[in-house]
Amino acid sequence: MFRKGPRTLERTWIRRSVLPKVSQEYLERRRLEILDAALVCFSRDGFHRTTMQDIVQQSGLSPGAIYNYFKSKEEIIEAIANQRQEKEKRLVMDAIDTGPAGEALGRLRDAFLDELDNPRERLRRRVSTQLWAEAQRNPSIRRVVRRSFEEPRK
């Protein structure tokens, strides 16, 4: 229990000074770690059968740690959809920036197909298929999927 007065200020200062500082890089790594764990779960069990507890177990983190980054499973799904959309946008923009349309399409095809050798990418592709289905019922996911097609045209 804190009393008002000069000692309160001292206790507050001491408590604040011993809190560990975490870098933005650390926070982003932790966030990506959660998304990777969710990707494994969604790939294995689908969006609707995967629970937050599954993601907790897969990540090895506490529920509180996950809820510090994401309010819900829906928010995690949306973050994965945004990740996917950004990656695909980069691939399309890189292909467009490098030359004539026929060559650009060939580079785009190669970029999409060459990554199938990567096991993590195969997980992402399984989840991407689910994102398309989820977009039929979830307006926030639909907006992200739609953005995949609209942004490269701008």
Side-chain angles (χ1 to χ4, degrees), residues 50-64:
T50 297
T51 65
M52 286 299 278
Q53 186 58 40
D54 295 330
I55 297 169
V56 166
Q57 287 178 324
Q58 182 68 39
S59 70
L61 300 172
S62 70

Side-chain angles (χ1 to χ4, degrees), residues 28-82:
E28 183 60 21
R29 273 195 325 265
R30 182 54 56 99
R31 183 180 178 281
L32 292 174
E33 187 179 332
I34 294 166
L35 292 176
D36 284 346
L39 190 69
V40 170
C41 294
F42 295 148
S43 173
R44 181 183 58 228
D45 299 323
F47 291 144
H48 298 286
R49 288 187 58 209
T50 297
T51 65
M52 286 299 278
Q53 186 58 40
D54 295 330
I55 297 169
V56 166
Q57 287 178 324
Q58 182 68 39
S59 70
L61 300 172
S62 70
I66 291 176
Y67 282 109
N68 278 333
Y69 290 87
F70 301 99
K71 294 177 188 171
S72 65
K73 183 172 76 169
E74 294 292 321
E75 206 171 274
I76 293 173
I77 294 168
E78 189 171 343
I80 289 172
N82 279 316

Side-chain angles (χ1 to χ4, degrees), residues 106-117:
R107 280 188 294 282
L108 189 57
R109 176 204 60 222
D110 293 343
F112 276 99
L113 295 177
D114 289 350
E115 286 200 50
L116 288 175
D117 293 333

Side-chain angles (χ1 to χ4, degrees), residues 85 88-93 96 146-154:
Q85 188 270 335
E88 290 172 357
K89 178 182 169 186
R90 277 192 312 274
L91 288 173
V92 169
M93 296 311 288
I96 289 170
R146 239 191 139 99
R147 203 170 59 228
S148 297
F149 293 98
E150 293 168 353
E151 282 185 4
R153 287 191 268 167
K154 293 179 181 176

